[in-house]
Amino acid sequence: MPKRYLPNDKWARKAKDEGFRARSVYKLQELDEKFHLIKPGMVVLDLGAAPGSWLQYVSGKIGPKGLAIGMDLQEIKMIAPNVHTVVQDIMKLDEVVEQTSKQANDRPVDLLLSDAAPSTSGIHDVDQWRSIELNQSALAVGKRILKSGGRCVLKVFQGADFDGFIKDVKREWKDVRIIKAQTSRDRSTEVYVIAQKA
Ligand SMILES: C[S@@+](CC[C@H](N)C(=O)[O-])C[C@H]1O[C@@H](n2cnc3c(N)ncnc32)[C@H](O)[C@@H]1O
C-alpha cells in the first residue's frame, strides 16, 4: 500500500539541509550514480529546470569548464557562473534550439535533461498526455542539438499513452532504459527514460 503523502518528507528536509532548491535533486543524483551521466566539462541542457536543484547538482559536477543551460516558463534565480538560465516555453522548438546555440556559443550539447511537468488539471489522462507532449518536444530538441552518442533523460508519467511513447523513442534512439527512481514518491507514476542518440 502506498505511503501517505507527507509534504515535508525526508528528501525534502535533506534538500533543505543541503541547500538544494528541490527534493528532485536526489532523483538526478540517483540516475547519475547509476548511469554516469554527468562529467566535468560537459555542456548540459536542462528543460523544465525551475526552481533549479538539478542545475545546482549539474553545476558542481561539470565544473568551471562545463556549461549548464536551464530553461523554464518560470524565472530561475542565479545559481553559478557555469549556469545560464532562460525563461522559455520548451514547446517552442525553434526558439529552444536557437537559445541553446546562443547560450552555448555553438558548443555541442553532451546531455539533455528534462524534468518538465505540466501544471496538473487533476484529470490523469490529460496530465499524462501533456507530459508526453513536453517529452516529444524535448526529444525533437535533442535530435537537433545533441551530439552523436549524447544521452537524454526524460521524466515521463505512466498511463494510457506511455507504451506508444516508448515505442516511438525506441524507433529513433538507442539503448532506451526506463527507471523508477527510489526517491520518487511511492504514489507517483513517474519514471525516467534514458535514451542515447545514434
Ligand atoms: C518538477 S519541476 C522541475 C524541477 C527541477 N528539475 C529542479 O530540480 O528544480 C517541473 C518544471 O517544468 C516546468 N514546465 C512545465 N511546462 C513547461 C514548458 N512548456 N516550458 C518550460 N518549462 C515548463 C514548470 O514550470 C516546472 O518548473
Side-chain angles (χ1 to χ4, degrees), residues 131-182:
S131 146
I132 298 272
E133 284 181 322
L134 289 170
N135 282 309
Q136 285 169 336
S137 186
L139 285 172
V141 170
K143 274 205 259 172
R144 286 177 57 181
I145 52 98
L146 255 188
K147 71 173 194 190
S148 168
R151 284 184 285 182
C152 65
V153 178
L154 309 170
K155 174 165 72 186
V156 189
F157 293 97
Q158 287 175 303
D161 303 300
F162 181 77
D163 290 348
F165 174 72
I166 296 296
K167 226 185 227 173
D168 290 346
V169 180
K170 285 187 171 163
R171 210 171 291 132
E172 298 200 55
W173 296 73
K174 289 195 305 187
D175 199 16
V176 178
R177 316 239 180 154
I178 301 164
I179 305 106
K180 170 96 187 166
Q182 300 296 311

Side-chain angles (χ1 to χ4, degrees), residues 94-109:
D94 289 340
E95 288 180 18
V96 175
V97 171
E98 196 180 306
Q99 278 293 345
T100 304
S101 308
K102 187 172 148 196
Q103 298 296 329
N105 219 352
D106 292 326
R107 281 169 76 183
V109 175

Side-chain angles (χ1 to χ4, degrees), residues 22 24 45-55 69-76 85-91 96 112-118 134-135 137-138 141 153-155 192:
S24 25
L45 174 63
D46 183 6
L47 301 176
S53 77
W54 282 25
L55 289 171
I69 303 160
M71 295 187 190
D72 202 287
L73 292 171
Q74 296 173 47
E75 201 167 323
I76 300 166
T85 62
V86 185
V87 174
Q88 174 65 52
D89 181 350
I90 65 165
M91 294 298 290
V96 175
L112 171 69
L113 306 174
S114 176
D115 195 30
L134 289 170
N135 282 309
S137 186
V141 170
V153 178
L154 309 170
K155 174 165 72 186
Y192 287 88

